[in-house]
Amino acid sequence: MRARAGTLASVLGIALVGCGVQPTGVVGAGEPATGLTRGIRLYFAPGSGLRGVPVLDREVKDLDSAVKLLAVGPPPAEQRDGLTNLVRLGGYAVTGRGARVTVRLEDPYAATGRDQGTGQLVCTLARAQSVLDPKAGTDDVEVTLHQPEGPSLGPYRCAEFLDG
């Protein structure tokens, strides 16, 4: 009985090993997932750094509407978490084409260009442009602020303002 069980186990083992399935190496499946989730995000400032807040309840059809939503400030829940809006703009016109966004300001820009308020604006516009024009990746979008007098600020990329 033991001899039969041993023979049967050997035959099954040989059959399983030699069943014709060849071993394979690593199968390439493309690049790993990177970047942020889909959809428009508005960027607000906590004590330090920036945090993206998804826009779930409003449709953003152009860059101007993204800036207007940013100007409204964070939703109440995010305000309770300490998020605030530091962007202060007078009149402006914003346009985007491919990976380039231009903000033409009617008044001098009060911020330095390397502050959290500028980061909020740059990251919000970069994200919006990448959603509105899927060929433009968020990380590739450059935002330039043109003042009525004085030097232009930028071009800036969102990554310049994010921690880490």
Side-chain angles (χ1 to χ4, degrees):
M1 191 71 150
R2 281 190 181 177
R4 270 190 187 174
T7 304
L8 182 60
S10 296
V11 170
L12 285 175
I14 292 171
L16 288 174
V17 171
C19 69
V21 176
Q22 299 296 317
T24 62
V26 175
V27 177
E31 294 295 316
T34 61
L36 303 171
T37 59
R38 293 181 171 249
I40 300 288
R41 285 181 174 269
L42 304 176
Y43 285 81
F44 296 104
S48 63
L50 296 175
R51 189 176 346 158
V53 176
V55 176
L56 303 174
D57 60 343
R58 298 203 175 118
E59 186 175 358
V60 176
K61 294 183 179 184
D62 55 34
L63 295 174
D64 189 55
S65 58
V67 175
K68 286 178 181 176
L69 283 173
L70 182 64
V72 169
E78 281 74 16
Q79 287 177 13
R80 285 189 295 274
D81 285 344
L83 296 184
T84 188
N85 180 19
L86 302 174
V87 176
R88 303 290 179 254
L89 295 178
Y92 65 89
V94 61
T95 57
R97 184 171 185 167
R100 302 250 189 268
V101 172
T102 302
V103 181
R104 297 202 180 280
L105 302 168
E106 294 177 8
D107 301 311
Y109 191 62
T112 65
R114 294 287 179 190
D115 56 284
Q116 285 187 325
T118 303
Q120 283 181 252
L121 183 61
V122 168
C123 290
T124 296
L125 287 171
R127 181 58 178 249
Q129 180 65 11
S130 71
V131 171
L132 296 168
D133 182 352
K135 295 177 191 170
T138 302
D139 295 335
D140 299 324
V141 175
E142 295 181 334
V143 178
T144 303
L145 306 171
H146 293 286
Q147 303 183 81
E149 296 179 15
S152 294
L153 301 172
Y156 299 118
R157 291 181 186 217
C158 181
E160 297 174 48
F161 298 94
L162 298 177
D163 292 334

